[in-house]
Amino acid sequence: MARESSPRTRLIRLGFLDAGRAARLLEDPSLGPVLQRAERAGAPLPEALGRTADPDLALLALVRLVEASAGTGGEERLAAVLAEDGTHRRRLLAVLGASTALGDMLIARPGDVALLDERTGEVPVLELTPADERARALEAVGADPADAVPVATVAGDEGVATLRRTYRRRLLEITAADLTSPDPLAALPLVAAALSDIAAAALDAALAVVRAEVPDHARDVRLAVLGMGKTGGRELNYISDVDVVYVVAPAPGTDVEESALVAAGSRLASSLTRACAGPGAEPALWPLDANLRPEGKDGPLVRTVSSHRAYYERWAKTWEFQALLKARPVAGDLDLGEEYRAAVGPLVWTAVERENFVADAQAMRRRVEEHVPVAEAERQLKLGRGGLRDVEFTVQLLQLVHGRADDTIRSRTTLDALEQLTEAGYVAREAAAELDRCYRLLRVLEHRMQLYRLRRTHVVPTGEDDLRRLGRSIGADGVDGAESLERRWRSVRRQVRHLHEEIFYRPLLPATARLSAEDVSLAPNAARARLE
C-alpha cells in the first residue's frame, strides 16, 4: 500500500492537485520514452512540470503535444527539448501550464515548439524594435518593408491567414519570455511594448494585403493609422481592443477630390478591419475599434488632417482630449500620422483652459465606476474602485493640468508619465513608488487572467484553482498562490483607491487649471503642489 501511495505523495509535493490522474498520465505510453530520457539526463520531467503555474494542466497538454508530434518528423526534436533542463523546456512548459489557448495552438502545430528556443545570435523577443516587428510582418506576406507603399504578394484569404499566423507565433514567443521572466513586474513594460509592436506590425501587414486587392494598389491614397489608448501608449494587453483613428491624404503629385479621397480611404480602412477582425481560416486577431474618432461611430471612418483639427477646435468634449493624449502613428503612412499629431497635439495641452475641465474629468471617472455591474464591482480589475483606471485617470489628469506649461511630463505611457510627474515634483516620491508597484501588479494579473483562454476579461475569478494558477504564474511581490494573491490584490485595491482620491481630487488642480498660461509659466512652483 505504501509503495502505491508514494508516487502520488511525490506528485502532491510537486504541486499536482489531481495526483491520481497525474500518475496515470505519466504512465502514458507516448510519454514513457521522454520521461526515461529526461531521467537519464538528470533533468526529471515531473519536477519541471511542478514549477509551472498549473502542473496538472501542463502535464495534460504535454501528453497531447507528444501524441500530436508522433509521425510528424518532429518527435525527436521535442524529445530532445524535454530531456534537457534548459530555457527551451522551461518556456514550453511555462506556456502549457498557464494558457490552454496557446497549448491548443502548439498541439495543432507542434512544429511551433521550435519558436520557443533561445536561438544564438538572435535579438531576444522582448528587445525587438517596432521597425523589427514591422519588417517581419511585411516580409511574411511578401511585401517589401523599404517600399513607400508596401504591397503584399501573398494576398487575399491566404494573405489574411498568413498575417494572422505570423502574429500568433510572435504572441507565443512573447508569452514564453514573459512567463519565464525572473521578475514579471519589472518585465511588464517590455511585454506590453512588444504586444503593441506586433499589433502595429499586423496592421501594416493587413494594409499591404488589402492594397494588393485594389486597382493600382490605391497608391494615390495615403492612409495613416493612429493608435489610441493602450495601443498608442505601447501598453497593450494580451487581449485588447485595438483602438485606432484613420487619417487620409492624397499622394504627392495627385489631384483627388476630398470626397473621393475619403471614400477610397474608407474602403481601405474597412477592408483593414475585415483582415484583422473578420471571419477567416485563421481566428481573428482582435476587435479593431475606430469609435474614438470624431463623432464616434456616427462620424466618417476617415478624415483629412484639416477635418480632424476643425472638429477638435469646435466640437470635442473633455474626454476626447484625454483620449488624444496617447495618439501615436502606428501603421500605414507614418509621416502623415505625424502631420496629424502636429496639427491636433497642441490642442491637448490647452484643453485644460476649457471651463470646468477638471470637474468634467473627475465626473467622467465617477460615471465609469457607476457603470460597473453590481455583481462585478468587488472583482473588477480595470474599472472598479482601486483598479487600473484609478491609476490611469490620476496620471492623465495631472498630465493635462500641468503639461500645458511643462513639456517634460507628456509621455503616452502610464508608468513613464508617472516617473516624469515624480521627477517634476507633481507627485510625492513615496506615493508614486506605491502607485508604480500597484499598477504593475494589476497589469500582470490582468495579463495572466487573459492568457488562460486568450479572452478579454477583467473580472478576477473566485475559484480556488483559478486563483492558485494565477498566483503561481505571477510569483512576485509576495504572490505565489491563491491565498497570497487574494490578500495582495485586496491590499493593492485599498492603496490605489486611497492614493487616487488623495491626488485625483486634489483641491489645487481646479485652481491650477483656472490660471492663465502666463501665470502658470511665471509661477511654476505654485502650480505644482510639491509634496516632498
Side-chain angles (χ1 to χ4, degrees):
M1 189 70 180
R3 284 194 301 272
E4 292 178 0
S5 62
S6 179
R8 295 191 182 193
T9 302
R10 175 191 177 215
L11 292 172
I12 291 171
R13 176 176 55 81
L14 290 174
F16 290 88
L17 293 178
D18 192 340
R21 188 183 72 163
R24 291 191 297 274
L25 288 172
L26 288 168
E27 293 172 357
D28 189 285
S30 65
L31 203 57
V34 173
L35 288 169
Q36 294 167 14
R37 185 169 173 176
E39 287 284 350
R40 289 195 301 269
L45 201 50
E47 278 74 6
L49 289 162
R51 290 190 287 270
T52 66
D54 188 335
D56 298 87
L57 176 66
L59 175 56
L60 178 60
L62 182 60
V63 171
R64 294 174 59 208
L65 178 61
V66 170
E67 291 174 345
S69 299
T72 65
E75 56 265 43
E76 171 57 28
R77 289 192 298 274
L78 177 59
V81 169
L82 294 172
E84 181 183 348
D85 184 17
T87 301
H88 200 170
R89 184 173 80 167
R90 287 195 293 273
R91 287 182 171 181
L92 171 60
L93 297 184
V95 169
L96 297 181
S99 176
T100 60
L102 290 176
D104 288 344
M105 189 180 98
L106 283 169
I107 291 160
R109 292 193 175 91
D112 284 352
V113 168
L115 298 171
L116 304 183
D117 190 13
E118 194 171 41
R119 292 173 287 278
T120 303
E122 288 201 3
V123 178
V125 63
L126 297 185
E127 296 177 18
L128 292 169
T129 67
D132 293 332
E133 296 291 8
R134 176 179 182 272
R136 287 182 180 224
L138 285 171
E139 288 166 359
V141 295
D144 186 348
D147 284 350
V149 181
V151 177
T153 56
V154 183
D157 292 343
E158 184 182 355
V160 170
T162 299
L163 75 89
R164 292 182 183 186
R165 281 196 301 272
T166 301
Y167 172 87
R168 282 199 165 77
R169 285 171 173 158
R170 301 300 288 154
L171 183 70
L172 175 66
E173 294 179 80
I174 292 167
T175 301
D178 179 15
L179 290 172
T180 55
S181 167
D183 186 347
L185 272 64
L188 169 69
L190 291 176
V191 172
L195 293 170
S196 303
D197 293 345
I198 63 170
L203 289 170
D204 258 323
L207 186 55
V209 169
V210 165
R211 284 189 180 275
E213 297 294 302
V214 297
D216 196 32
H217 311 309
R219 293 185 183 277
D220 57 344
V221 178
R222 300 170 68 195
L223 184 70
V225 186
L226 279 294
M228 309 290 281
K230 283 185 164 59
T231 307
R234 287 187 81 207
E235 46 193 0
L236 273 181
N237 303 325
Y238 280 97
I239 297 295
S240 293
D241 288 0
V242 171
D243 294 311
V244 295
V245 165
Y246 298 109
V247 185
V248 70
T254 62
D255 184 16
V256 185
E257 291 185 2
E258 183 167 324
S259 58
L261 183 68
V262 169
S266 296
R267 287 192 293 272
L268 285 176
S270 296
S271 298
L272 179 63
T273 299
R274 288 192 295 273
C276 293
E282 293 286 331
L285 299 182
W286 9 252
L288 195 56
D289 190 343
N291 286 339
L292 288 178
R293 67 186 186 269
E295 300 178 83
K297 63 182 180 181
D298 296 324
L301 183 58
V302 304
R303 289 176 183 257
T304 62
V305 170
S306 60
S307 177
H308 275 284
R309 183 177 175 90
Y311 173 83
Y312 285 110
E313 286 178 333
R314 297 189 60 186
W315 308 109
K317 299 179 176 61
T318 296
W319 69 265
E320 292 180 273
F321 291 103
Q322 187 172 342
L324 270 183
L325 192 155
K326 290 182 177 289
R328 174 177 68 96
V330 295
D333 192 316
L334 300 183
D335 290 339
L336 177 58
E338 289 297 342
E339 289 177 31
Y340 166 90
R341 285 193 61 227
V344 304
L347 302 178
V348 173
W349 306 110
T350 58
V352 68
E353 298 170 5
R354 296 159 64 98
E355 188 175 358
N356 298 320
F357 180 88
V358 172
D360 287 347
Q362 292 169 340
M364 181 171 63
R365 173 63 189 119
R366 289 192 293 269
R367 284 195 299 273
V368 168
E369 192 176 312
E370 289 165 0
H371 281 82
V372 175
V374 174
E376 296 181 3
E378 291 303 308
R379 311 295 294 181
Q380 243 292 345
L381 187 71
K382 179 180 178 181
L383 305 177
R385 295 170 63 88
L388 291 163
R389 282 291 184 265
D390 273 357
V391 180
E392 292 161 355
F393 271 58
T394 298
V395 169
Q396 290 166 22
L397 181 59
L398 291 179
Q399 286 183 284
L400 290 166
V401 169
H402 300 297
R404 168 176 48 161
D406 189 344
D407 61 8
T408 69
I409 59 170
R410 296 181 178 182
S411 173
R412 292 182 289 266
T413 305
T414 301
L415 289 174
D416 289 346
L418 180 58
E419 182 179 358
Q420 291 172 350
L421 288 164
T422 307
E423 291 300 317
Y426 301 110
V427 183
R429 291 190 180 277
E430 184 178 343
E434 191 60 35
L435 280 175
D436 182 286
R437 284 192 297 271
C438 291
Y439 187 73
R440 287 174 188 265
L441 181 68
L442 291 172
R443 287 295 309 279
V444 171
L445 175 55
E446 178 184 43
H447 280 188
R448 299 298 188 264
M449 286 163 49
Q450 294 181 345
L451 265 179
Y452 183 51
R453 298 190 187 281
L454 282 186
R455 291 180 183 170
R456 191 169 183 261
T457 179
H458 296 100
V459 179
V460 179
T462 57
E464 181 78 12
D465 290 354
D466 289 329
L467 291 171
R468 177 178 183 267
R469 183 189 66 254
L470 291 170
R472 285 169 60 98
S473 71
I474 293 172
D477 198 25
V479 174
D480 58 7
E483 184 178 344
S484 57
L485 172 59
E486 188 76 23
R487 183 172 59 250
R488 182 69 181 118
W489 176 53
R490 291 188 180 279
S491 172
V492 163
R493 286 185 66 198
R494 290 192 298 270
Q495 291 166 310
V496 167
R497 190 61 178 191
H498 168 72
L499 290 168
H500 170 73
E501 291 179 341
E502 183 179 83
I503 301 170
F504 191 71
Y505 296 101
R506 186 182 292 168
L508 184 62
L509 288 177
T512 303
R514 287 193 295 269
L515 291 173
S516 68
E518 291 76 12
D519 288 340
V520 172
S521 61
L522 288 172
N525 290 340
R528 282 190 180 177
R530 288 187 178 276
L531 301 174
E532 301 179 35

Coordinates of all heavy atoms in Angstrom, one line a residue, residues 396-452:
Q396 N -3.2 60.8 -16.0 CA -3.6 61.6 -17.2 C -4.1 63.0 -16.8 O -3.8 64.0 -17.5 CB -4.6 60.8 -18.0 CG -4.1 59.6 -18.7 CD -5.1 58.7 -19.3 OE1 -6.2 59.1 -19.5 NE2 -4.7 57.5 -19.5
L397 N -4.8 63.1 -15.7 CA -5.3 64.4 -15.3 C -4.2 65.3 -14.8 O -4.2 66.4 -15.2 CB -6.3 64.2 -14.1 CG -7.0 65.5 -13.6 CD1 -7.7 66.3 -14.7 CD2 -7.9 65.3 -12.4
L398 N -3.2 64.7 -14.1 CA -2.1 65.5 -13.7 C -1.3 66.0 -15.0 O -0.8 67.1 -15.0 CB -1.1 64.7 -12.8 CG -1.7 64.4 -11.4 CD1 -0.6 63.6 -10.7 CD2 -2.0 65.7 -10.7
Q399 N -1.2 65.1 -16.0 CA -0.5 65.5 -17.2 C -1.2 66.6 -17.9 O -0.6 67.6 -18.4 CB -0.4 64.3 -18.1 CG 0.6 63.2 -17.8 CD 0.6 62.1 -18.8 OE1 -0.2 61.3 -18.9 NE2 1.7 62.2 -19.7
L400 N -2.5 66.5 -18.0 CA -3.3 67.5 -18.7 C -3.3 68.9 -18.0 O -3.4 69.9 -18.7 CB -4.7 67.0 -18.9 CG -4.9 65.8 -19.9 CD1 -6.2 65.2 -19.8 CD2 -4.6 66.3 -21.4
V401 N -3.3 68.8 -16.7 CA -3.4 70.1 -15.9 C -2.0 70.8 -16.0 O -1.9 72.0 -16.2 CB -3.8 69.8 -14.5 CG1 -3.6 71.1 -13.6 CG2 -5.3 69.5 -14.4
H402 N -0.9 70.0 -15.8 CA 0.4 70.6 -15.6 C 1.2 70.6 -16.9 O 2.1 71.4 -17.1 CB 1.2 69.9 -14.5 CG 0.5 70.0 -13.2 ND1 0.4 71.2 -12.5 CD2 0.1 69.0 -12.4 CE1 -0.2 70.9 -11.3 NE2 -0.4 69.6 -11.2
G403 N 0.8 69.7 -17.9 CA 1.5 69.6 -19.1 C 1.4 70.8 -20.0 O 2.2 71.0 -21.0
R404 N 0.4 71.7 -19.8 CA 0.3 72.9 -20.6 C 1.6 73.7 -20.5 O 2.0 74.3 -21.5 CB -0.9 73.7 -20.0 CG -1.0 75.1 -20.5 CD -2.2 75.9 -20.0 NE -2.4 75.7 -18.6 CZ -3.2 76.5 -17.9 NH1 -3.8 77.5 -18.5 NH2 -3.4 76.4 -16.6
A405 N 2.2 73.8 -19.3 CA 3.4 74.6 -19.2 C 4.7 73.8 -19.0 O 5.8 74.4 -18.8 CB 3.2 75.6 -18.0
D406 N 4.5 72.5 -19.0 CA 5.7 71.6 -18.7 C 5.7 70.5 -19.7 O 5.0 69.5 -19.5 CB 5.6 71.1 -17.3 CG 6.9 70.4 -16.8 OD1 7.7 70.0 -17.7 OD2 7.0 70.1 -15.6
D407 N 6.6 70.6 -20.7 CA 6.6 69.6 -21.7 C 7.4 68.3 -21.4 O 7.6 67.5 -22.2 CB 7.0 70.1 -23.1 CG 8.4 70.7 -23.0 OD1 9.1 70.5 -22.0 OD2 8.9 71.3 -24.0
T408 N 7.9 68.3 -20.1 CA 8.7 67.1 -19.7 C 7.8 66.0 -19.1 O 8.3 65.0 -18.7 CB 9.7 67.5 -18.6 OG1 9.0 67.9 -17.4 CG2 10.5 68.7 -19.0
I409 N 6.5 66.2 -19.1 CA 5.6 65.2 -18.4 C 4.5 64.7 -19.4 O 3.4 64.4 -19.0 CB 4.9 65.8 -17.2 CG1 4.1 67.0 -17.6 CG2 5.9 66.2 -16.1 CD1 3.1 67.5 -16.4
R410 N 4.9 64.6 -20.7 CA 3.9 64.3 -21.7 C 4.0 62.9 -22.3 O 3.5 62.6 -23.4 CB 4.0 65.3 -22.8 CG 3.6 66.8 -22.4 CD 3.7 67.8 -23.5 NE 3.4 69.1 -23.1 CZ 3.3 70.2 -23.9 NH1 3.7 70.0 -25.2 NH2 3.0 71.3 -23.5
S411 N 4.6 62.0 -21.6 CA 4.7 60.6 -22.2 C 3.3 60.0 -22.3 O 2.4 60.3 -21.6 CB 5.5 59.7 -21.2 OG 5.5 58.4 -21.6
R412 N 3.2 59.2 -23.4 CA 1.9 58.5 -23.6 C 1.8 57.2 -22.8 O 0.7 56.6 -22.7 CB 1.8 58.1 -25.1 CG 1.7 59.2 -26.1 CD 1.6 58.7 -27.5 NE 2.8 58.2 -28.0 CZ 3.7 58.9 -28.7 NH1 3.5 60.2 -28.9 NH2 4.8 58.3 -29.1
T413 N 2.9 56.8 -22.1 CA 2.9 55.5 -21.4 C 2.7 55.8 -19.9 O 3.5 56.6 -19.3 CB 4.2 54.8 -21.6 OG1 4.4 54.6 -23.1 CG2 4.2 53.4 -21.0
T414 N 1.8 55.1 -19.3 CA 1.4 55.4 -17.9 C 2.6 55.4 -16.9 O 2.8 56.4 -16.2 CB 0.3 54.4 -17.4 OG1 -0.8 54.5 -18.3 CG2 -0.1 54.8 -16.0
L415 N 3.4 54.4 -16.9 CA 4.5 54.3 -16.0 C 5.6 55.3 -16.2 O 6.1 55.9 -15.3 CB 5.1 52.9 -16.0 CG 4.2 51.8 -15.3 CD1 4.8 50.4 -15.5 CD2 3.9 52.1 -13.9
D416 N 5.9 55.6 -17.5 CA 6.8 56.6 -17.8 C 6.3 58.0 -17.4 O 7.1 58.8 -16.9 CB 7.1 56.6 -19.3 CG 7.9 55.4 -19.8 OD1 8.5 54.7 -18.9 OD2 8.0 55.2 -21.0
A417 N 5.0 58.2 -17.7 CA 4.4 59.5 -17.3 C 4.5 59.7 -15.8 O 4.7 60.8 -15.2 CB 3.0 59.6 -17.8
L418 N 4.2 58.6 -15.0 CA 4.2 58.7 -13.6 C 5.6 59.0 -13.1 O 5.8 59.9 -12.2 CB 3.8 57.4 -13.0 CG 3.7 57.3 -11.4 CD1 2.8 58.3 -10.8 CD2 3.3 55.9 -11.0
E419 N 6.6 58.5 -13.7 CA 8.0 58.8 -13.3 C 8.3 60.2 -13.7 O 9.0 60.9 -12.9 CB 9.0 57.9 -14.1 CG 10.4 58.1 -13.7 CD 11.4 57.1 -14.5 OE1 10.9 56.3 -15.2 OE2 12.6 57.3 -14.3
Q420 N 7.9 60.7 -14.8 CA 8.1 62.1 -15.2 C 7.4 63.1 -14.2 O 8.0 64.1 -13.8 CB 7.6 62.4 -16.6 CG 8.4 61.7 -17.7 CD 7.7 61.8 -19.0 OE1 6.6 62.2 -19.2 NE2 8.5 61.4 -20.1
L421 N 6.2 62.8 -13.8 CA 5.5 63.6 -12.9 C 6.2 63.6 -11.5 O 6.2 64.7 -10.8 CB 4.0 63.1 -12.7 CG 3.1 63.3 -13.9 CD1 1.9 62.4 -13.7 CD2 2.7 64.7 -13.9
T422 N 6.8 62.5 -11.1 CA 7.5 62.5 -9.9 C 8.8 63.3 -10.0 O 9.1 64.1 -9.1 CB 7.9 61.0 -9.6 OG1 6.7 60.2 -9.6 CG2 8.5 60.9 -8.2
E423 N 9.5 63.2 -11.0 CA 10.8 63.9 -11.2 C 10.5 65.4 -11.2 O 11.3 66.2 -10.8 CB 11.5 63.5 -12.5 CG 12.1 62.1 -12.4 CD 13.1 62.0 -11.3 OE1 13.9 62.9 -11.1 OE2 13.1 60.9 -10.6
A424 N 9.3 65.8 -11.8 CA 9.0 67.2 -11.9 C 8.4 67.8 -10.6 O 8.1 69.0 -10.5 CB 8.0 67.4 -13.1
G425 N 8.1 66.9 -9.7 CA 7.6 67.3 -8.4 C 6.1 67.4 -8.2 O 5.6 68.0 -7.3
Y426 N 5.3 66.8 -9.2 CA 3.9 66.9 -9.1 C 3.3 65.7 -8.3 O 2.1 65.8 -7.9 CB 3.3 66.9 -10.5 CG 3.7 68.0 -11.4 CD1 4.6 67.8 -12.4 CD2 3.3 69.3 -11.1 CE1 5.0 68.8 -13.2 CE2 3.8 70.4 -11.9 CZ 4.6 70.1 -13.0 OH 5.1 71.1 -13.7
V427 N 4.0 64.7 -8.0 CA 3.6 63.6 -7.2 C 4.7 63.3 -6.2 O 5.9 63.2 -6.6 CB 3.3 62.3 -8.0 CG1 2.8 61.2 -7.1 CG2 2.3 62.6 -9.1
A428 N 4.4 63.0 -5.0 CA 5.4 62.7 -4.0 C 6.1 61.4 -4.3 O 5.4 60.5 -4.8 CB 4.8 62.6 -2.6
R429 N 7.4 61.2 -4.1 CA 8.1 60.0 -4.5 C 7.5 58.8 -3.8 O 7.4 57.7 -4.5 CB 9.6 60.2 -4.1 CG 10.3 61.2 -5.0 CD 11.8 61.2 -4.8 NE 12.4 62.2 -5.6 CZ 12.7 62.1 -6.9 NH1 12.4 60.9 -7.5 NH2 13.2 63.1 -7.6
E430 N 7.2 58.8 -2.6 CA 6.6 57.7 -1.9 C 5.3 57.2 -2.5 O 5.1 56.0 -2.8 CB 6.5 57.9 -0.4 CG 6.0 56.7 0.4 CD 5.9 57.0 1.9 OE1 6.5 58.0 2.3 OE2 5.2 56.2 2.6
A431 N 4.4 58.2 -2.8 CA 3.2 57.9 -3.4 C 3.3 57.4 -4.8 O 2.7 56.4 -5.2 CB 2.3 59.2 -3.4
A432 N 4.3 57.9 -5.6 CA 4.5 57.5 -6.9 C 5.1 56.1 -6.9 O 4.7 55.2 -7.8 CB 5.5 58.4 -7.6
A433 N 6.0 55.8 -6.0 CA 6.6 54.4 -6.0 C 5.5 53.4 -5.6 O 5.5 52.3 -6.2 CB 7.7 54.4 -4.9
E434 N 4.5 53.8 -4.8 CA 3.5 52.8 -4.4 C 2.5 52.6 -5.6 O 2.1 51.5 -5.9 CB 2.7 53.3 -3.2 CG 1.7 52.3 -2.6 CD 2.4 51.1 -2.1 OE1 3.6 51.1 -1.6 OE2 1.8 50.0 -2.3
L435 N 2.2 53.7 -6.3 CA 1.3 53.6 -7.5 C 2.0 52.7 -8.5 O 1.3 51.9 -9.2 CB 1.0 55.0 -8.0 CG -0.1 55.8 -7.3 CD1 -0.2 57.2 -8.0 CD2 -1.5 55.0 -7.4
D436 N 3.3 52.9 -8.7 CA 4.0 52.1 -9.7 C 4.0 50.7 -9.4 O 3.6 49.8 -10.2 CB 5.5 52.6 -9.7 CG 6.3 51.9 -10.8 OD1 6.7 50.7 -10.5 OD2 6.7 52.5 -11.8
R437 N 4.2 50.3 -8.1 CA 4.2 48.9 -7.7 C 2.8 48.3 -7.9 O 2.7 47.2 -8.4 CB 4.7 48.7 -6.3 CG 6.2 48.9 -6.0 CD 6.5 48.4 -4.6 NE 5.9 49.3 -3.6 CZ 6.5 50.3 -3.1 NH1 7.7 50.7 -3.6 NH2 5.9 51.1 -2.2
C438 N 1.8 49.0 -7.4 CA 0.4 48.5 -7.5 C 0.0 48.4 -9.0 O -0.6 47.4 -9.3 CB -0.5 49.5 -6.8 SG -0.3 49.5 -5.0
Y439 N 0.3 49.4 -9.8 CA -0.1 49.3 -11.2 C 0.5 48.1 -11.9 O -0.1 47.4 -12.7 CB 0.3 50.6 -11.9 CG -0.3 50.7 -13.3 CD1 -1.6 50.9 -13.5 CD2 0.6 50.6 -14.4 CE1 -2.1 51.1 -14.8 CE2 0.1 50.7 -15.7 CZ -1.3 50.9 -15.9 OH -1.8 51.0 -17.2
R440 N 1.8 47.9 -11.7 CA 2.5 46.7 -12.3 C 1.8 45.4 -11.9 O 1.6 44.6 -12.7 CB 4.0 46.7 -11.9 CG 4.8 47.8 -12.5 CD 6.2 47.8 -12.0 NE 7.0 48.9 -12.4 CZ 7.8 48.9 -13.5 NH1 8.0 47.8 -14.2 NH2 8.5 50.0 -13.8
L441 N 1.5 45.3 -10.6 CA 0.9 44.0 -10.2 C -0.5 43.9 -10.8 O -0.9 42.8 -11.3 CB 0.7 44.0 -8.7 CG 0.1 42.7 -8.2 CD1 1.0 41.5 -8.4 CD2 -0.3 42.8 -6.7
L442 N -1.3 44.9 -10.9 CA -2.6 44.8 -11.5 C -2.5 44.5 -13.0 O -3.3 43.7 -13.5 CB -3.4 46.2 -11.4 CG -3.8 46.6 -9.9 CD1 -4.3 48.0 -9.9 CD2 -4.9 45.6 -9.4
R443 N -1.6 45.1 -13.7 CA -1.4 44.8 -15.1 C -0.9 43.3 -15.3 O -1.4 42.6 -16.3 CB -0.4 45.7 -15.8 CG -0.9 47.2 -16.0 CD -2.1 47.3 -16.9 NE -1.9 46.6 -18.2 CZ -1.2 47.1 -19.2 NH1 -0.6 48.3 -19.1 NH2 -1.1 46.5 -20.3
V444 N 0.0 42.9 -14.5 CA 0.5 41.5 -14.7 C -0.6 40.5 -14.4 O -0.8 39.5 -15.1 CB 1.7 41.2 -13.8 CG1 2.1 39.7 -13.8 CG2 2.9 42.0 -14.3
L445 N -1.4 40.8 -13.3 CA -2.6 39.9 -13.0 C -3.6 39.9 -14.2 O -4.1 38.9 -14.6 CB -3.3 40.4 -11.8 CG -4.6 39.7 -11.4 CD1 -4.4 38.2 -11.2 CD2 -5.1 40.3 -10.1
E446 N -3.8 41.1 -14.8 CA -4.7 41.2 -16.0 C -4.1 40.3 -17.1 O -4.9 39.6 -17.8 CB -4.8 42.7 -16.4 CG -5.6 42.9 -17.7 CD -5.5 44.4 -18.1 OE1 -4.4 45.0 -18.0 OE2 -6.6 44.9 -18.4
H447 N -2.8 40.4 -17.3 CA -2.2 39.6 -18.4 C -2.4 38.1 -18.1 O -2.8 37.3 -19.1 CB -0.7 39.9 -18.5 CG -0.4 41.2 -19.2 ND1 0.8 41.6 -19.6 CD2 -1.3 42.1 -19.7 CE1 0.8 42.7 -20.2 NE2 -0.5 43.1 -20.3
R448 N -2.2 37.7 -16.9 CA -2.3 36.3 -16.6 C -3.7 35.8 -16.7 O -3.9 34.6 -17.2 CB -1.7 36.0 -15.2 CG -0.3 36.3 -15.0 CD 0.6 35.5 -15.9 NE 2.1 35.7 -15.6 CZ 2.9 36.6 -16.2 NH1 2.4 37.3 -17.2 NH2 4.1 36.7 -15.8
M449 N -4.7 36.6 -16.3 CA -6.1 36.2 -16.5 C -6.4 36.0 -17.9 O -7.1 35.1 -18.3 CB -6.9 37.3 -15.9 CG -7.0 37.3 -14.3 SD -7.6 38.9 -13.6 CE -9.1 39.1 -14.6
Q450 N -6.0 36.9 -18.8 CA -6.3 36.8 -20.2 C -5.6 35.7 -21.0 O -6.1 35.2 -21.9 CB -6.0 38.2 -20.9 CG -6.9 39.3 -20.3 CD -6.7 40.6 -21.0 OE1 -5.6 40.8 -21.6 NE2 -7.6 41.6 -20.8
L451 N -4.4 35.4 -20.5 CA -3.6 34.4 -21.2 C -4.3 33.0 -21.1 O -4.1 32.2 -22.0 CB -2.2 34.2 -20.5 CG -1.1 35.0 -21.1 CD1 0.2 34.8 -20.3 CD2 -0.9 34.7 -22.6
Y452 N -5.0 32.7 -20.0 CA -5.5 31.4 -19.8 C -6.3 30.9 -21.0 O -6.0 29.8 -21.6 CB -6.4 31.3 -18.6 CG -6.9 29.9 -18.2 CD1 -6.0 28.9 -18.1 CD2 -8.2 29.7 -18.0 CE1 -6.5 27.6 -17.8 CE2 -8.7 28.5 -17.6 CZ -7.8 27.4 -17.6 OH -8.3 26.1 -17.2

